[in-house]
Amino acid sequence: MGKLKVVVDRNLCEGIGVCVPEAPKYIVLDKRHKAVILEPGKDKEQLFQEVLEKKRQEVVLELTIEEEEDIFRAAEACPVKAIFVYDPETGEQLYP
């Protein structure tokens, strides 16, 4: 298992939703049609409230290789490039 820091810029997100099918375990759209990164162990509705007024949501996820690939596919699918992926240890931006 590896770790990735996933960031959604909620100002850039237009709610198109093409990211969701690529990583449905980790990315959903809220009621405002903005991407939200699901955090293991957190209630989805509570999470929606927490990120409602945030401009950016940042989450470090522990992922399998397959889940990492899902996250990258989701980020690549976003037509407005609102999903960023970083190495949480070095801070290096991995995508875009």
Side-chain angles (χ1 to χ4, degrees), residues 18-84:
V18 294
C19 57
V20 175
E22 300 297 339
K25 182 176 177 182
Y26 290 102
I27 300 176
V28 296
L29 295 183
D30 66 11
K31 292 172 183 146
R32 293 175 58 209
H33 299 282
K34 298 287 186 173
V36 175
I37 307 159
L38 296 177
E39 299 179 43
K42 276 205 175 177
D43 175 70
K44 185 166 51 170
E45 293 303 319
Q46 178 185 352
L47 186 59
F48 285 174
Q49 287 295 38
E50 287 177 17
V51 301
L52 186 63
E53 299 303 321
K54 287 186 177 180
K55 294 179 178 164
R56 292 169 54 98
Q57 180 193 14
E58 300 183 14
V59 179
V60 175
L61 298 171
E62 194 162 320
L63 305 163
T64 66
I65 295 294
E66 292 81 16
E67 291 169 335
E68 285 183 10
E69 291 171 0
D70 292 347
I71 293 293
F72 278 102
R73 274 196 307 277
E76 291 167 357
C78 179
V80 296
K81 304 295 183 223
I83 301 173
F84 300 81

